[in-house]
Amino acid sequence: GAGVSQSPSNKVTEKGKDVELRCDPISGHTALYWYRQSLGQGLEFLIYFQGNSAPDKSGLPSDRFSAERTGGSVSTLTIQRTQQEDSAVYLCASSLWGIDTEAFFGQGTRLTVV
Amino acid sequence: GESVGLHLPTLSVQEGDNSIINCAYSNSASDYFIWYKQESGKGPQFIIDIRSNMDKRQGQRVTVLLNKTVKHLSLQIAATQPGDSAVYFCAEKKGAQKLVFGQGTRLTINP
């Protein structure tokens, strides 16, 4: 596609449920990032994928969070047993070769845990 | 250090004036910096970047200045327009590939 696509754009879930957020990066981009943005805050790094290398998971806040990237393209971020503090906008970005090349962000998924 | 911080959370300027958004970073080993613009309801959009071997870089109506001595980064926007109203984030390359973002500055353009 023309840009990074994320789905759903909005998600409301009950506390304790699992959610999956999807990111379709720009075709041909080898690097993919997930960030979390709480209301009025900056972007908190979650995880980074680069090609076939092991992902940098250092930003995942707990073991309830996991992400995978299949075939070097689409990525899913999974949050198990959601908590209210997980409510935020989850942003995905991709870049051609890595962080030294421009990263393009998607619109984000707004997650609300009630 | 882990943080990239901004001096001011909000900035209001008159339309047509120049604006300067500041950012302090803590990791003297950082070698790549980016400014992003985020409009309401949208993802961040790349504005301009600068590498540590440069002091200044100019784009269209924007200039980024890097002062490595005091670990300070600034974004200058010339002749601001209503469309410049947004939150501006600086980001610092940390470690091998991770970008660390600052808190953000909300820029408001007054008519």
Side-chain angles (χ1 to χ4, degrees):
Chain A
V4 177
S5 177
Q6 291 187 246
S7 60
S9 54
N10 282 283
K11 176 71 176 178
V12 179
T13 190
E14 292 181 353
K15 178 181 173 181
K17 300 283 190 182
D18 298 351
V19 294
E20 277 192 359
L21 312 180
R22 177 185 169 108
C23 173
D24 283 87
I26 293 173
S27 178
H29 280 195
T30 64
L32 187 148
Y33 319 82
W34 283 98
Y35 285 84
R36 178 169 70 173
Q37 186 175 30
S38 300
L39 186 64
Q41 300 295 310
L43 280 72
E44 175 189 2
F45 169 79
L46 296 178
I47 189 168
Y48 165 66
F49 296 90
Q50 173 60 62
N52 296 321
S53 302
D56 178 351
K57 303 179 181 181
S58 61
L60 295 178
S62 78
D63 59 9
R64 296 186 295 105
F65 287 72
S66 63
E68 62 178 22
R69 188 178 184 193
T70 53
S73 181
V74 172
S75 177
T76 55
L77 176 70
T78 301
I79 309 173
Q80 295 178 308
R81 304 180 302 281
T82 52
Q83 304 295 313
Q84 287 186 329
E85 60 263 29
D86 299 334
S87 296
V89 175
Y90 289 81
L91 289 159
C92 174
S94 72
S95 65
L96 187 59
W97 291 113
I99 208 62
D100 284 3
T101 55
E102 182 179 343
F104 294 85
F105 280 83
Q107 299 273 66
T109 293
R110 181 175 296 279
L111 175 66
T112 303
V113 181
V114 298
Chain B
E2 289 281 336
S3 65
V4 177
L6 295 174
H7 294 310
L8 293 173
T10 61
L11 178 65
S12 293
V13 298
Q14 292 297 122
E15 183 177 349
D17 286 354
N18 299 333
S19 64
I20 300 175
I21 301 171
N22 296 304
C23 179
Y25 64 95
S26 58
N27 189 344
S28 58
S30 293
D31 58 4
Y32 182 58
F33 305 88
I34 310 175
W35 280 101
Y36 281 91
K37 172 186 180 182
Q38 187 176 28
E39 296 174 284
S40 181
K42 298 183 179 180
Q45 180 182 12
F46 173 95
I47 300 174
I48 192 168
D49 60 359
I50 189 167
R51 301 187 188 279
S52 58
N53 61 351
M54 302 174 68
D55 298 323
K56 178 179 179 179
R57 189 159 189 232
Q58 288 185 295
Q60 194 172 29
R61 285 201 305 117
V62 295
T63 301
V64 56
L65 298 177
L66 176 63
N67 185 330
K68 294 180 286 293
T69 302
V70 295
K71 291 184 285 188
H72 183 268
L73 190 69
S74 68
L75 176 71
Q76 300 178 0
I77 305 174
T80 52
Q81 304 169 356
D84 294 329
S85 293
V87 177
Y88 290 81
F89 293 97
C90 64
E92 165 191 19
K93 176 188 167 187
K94 181 162 183 69
Q97 294 288 347
K98 184 170 65 179
L99 267 183
V100 174
F101 282 80
Q103 188 78 2
T105 292
R106 180 173 300 281
L107 177 65
T108 301
I109 309 302
N110 300 316

